[in-house]
Amino acid sequence: MNITSAEFFKSASAISGLPVEGFPEIVFVGRSNVGKSSLLNSLCARRGLAKTSSTPGKTRLINFFLINDSFYFVDLPGYGYAHVGHAERESWGQLLSDYVRYRKGISLVVLLVDSRHPGMAMDLEMMEFLAYCQRPYGIVMTKFDKLSQSEKSKARKAMESCAAKAEFIVNYSSFSGAGRSELLARLDNFSQ
Ligand SMILES: Nc1nc2c(ncn2[C@@H]2O[C@H](COP(=O)(O)OP(=O)(O)O)[C@@H](O)[C@H]2O)c(=O)[nH]1
Ligand SMILES: [Mg+2]
């Protein structure tokens, strides 16, 4: 896949605010600070498309980006941010889970996992939830550049051992662009 155009389309803070169903939706999800905004910017080769921030948990909206005028990348709020209030965390989780569970247009969920911490409980729970919803999902191991050679193969093996149902696992670095063409090729099947 070649990304020829990428533009912010709309944000939704509730199910009622989602765009009318139509285009396929490739959904990106992961823990706060996992590198999701950086990955979207790097994939689309647009530095400021999704805001990146070193303050985790700032994005509370479902953000839609229209790609090649034919499908969406959807940026879901990061989960596992410990510093929001309990009530807020519950409603946030509800919106996320309702969207993932019931939205017809979702063709794939891309689960971002920090390469330094494969197999974290929250990520395993998300995989279980996706399997329960019968959603196909792929895994991207973010910030792969932060690992040494030996850590790289160890982390990859650890991820493979707990993600048997994943459509793919891609090692990714938004900083170097490593993994970008592999991920774009993987997404091809899910964009039409
Ligand atoms: N070394 C390295 N750092 C990254 C990479 N991607 C993101 N980061 C850093 O991780 C932090 C969180 O990134 P961000 O994209 O805002 O994460 P988000 O909260 O998941 O959207 C920022 O400080 C980024 O600079 C990467 O591929 N390599
Ligand atoms: Mg972000």
Side-chain angles (χ1 to χ4, degrees):
M1 178 202 297
N2 210 346
I3 295 186
T4 52
S5 70
E7 56 190 90
F8 174 74
F9 185 73
K10 87 176 281 190
S11 290
S13 57
I15 292 291
S16 58
L18 297 174
V20 176
E21 298 257 14
F23 295 132
E25 296 172 20
I26 298 178
V27 180
F28 295 82
V29 66
R31 295 171 59 247
S32 299
N33 212 37
V34 72
K36 187 154 48 70
S37 299
S38 304
L39 177 129
L40 286 167
N41 291 339
S42 121
L43 261 189
C44 300
R46 286 270 306 276
R47 195 165 283 242
L49 186 68
K51 289 191 186 107
T52 62
S53 154
S54 44
T55 314
K58 266 166 101 178
T59 322
R60 313 267 164 97
L61 303 168
I62 300 183
N63 294 309
F64 286 77
F65 300 93
L66 182 60
I67 310 299
N68 295 352
D69 291 316
S70 60
F71 63 96
Y72 291 119
F73 280 167
V74 182
D75 182 6
L76 282 198
Y79 54 88
Y81 181 51
H83 302 288
V84 296
H86 185 66
E88 188 179 357
R89 195 158 65 227
E90 291 229 309
S91 65
W92 192 3
Q94 190 68 47
L95 171 62
L96 187 135
S97 54
D98 283 352
Y99 168 73
V100 171
R101 202 162 161 199
Y102 301 117
R103 183 77 169 171
K104 291 196 186 69
I106 296 175
S107 60
L108 178 74
V109 176
V110 180
L111 174 61
L112 277 59
V113 173
D114 191 319
S115 297
R116 295 166 297 176
H117 311 289
M120 282 187 75
M122 279 188 170
D123 295 327
L124 298 179
E125 276 168 31
M126 181 55 77
M127 285 186 246
E128 266 173 37
F129 177 66
L130 294 171
Y132 165 76
C133 301
Q134 299 185 300
R135 288 289 185 205
Y137 65 91
I139 290 180
V140 170
M141 298 184 67
T142 63
K143 310 187 190 182
F144 214 65
D145 57 277
K146 289 202 176 201
L147 304 187
S148 69
Q149 278 311 324
S150 64
E151 288 170 332
K152 281 179 181 168
S153 53
K154 235 172 114 182
R156 174 76 195 211
K157 280 196 194 110
M159 198 69 246
E160 282 168 8
S161 72
C162 57
K165 288 188 183 142
E167 303 279 325
F168 57 78
I169 301 175
V170 171
N171 310 333
Y172 203 96
S173 168
S174 296
F175 284 16
S176 73
R180 182 176 181 272
S181 48
E182 184 187 354
L183 181 56
L184 286 172
R186 292 292 197 173
L187 298 184
D188 245 344
N189 301 332
F190 302 96
S191 63
Q192 45 217 344

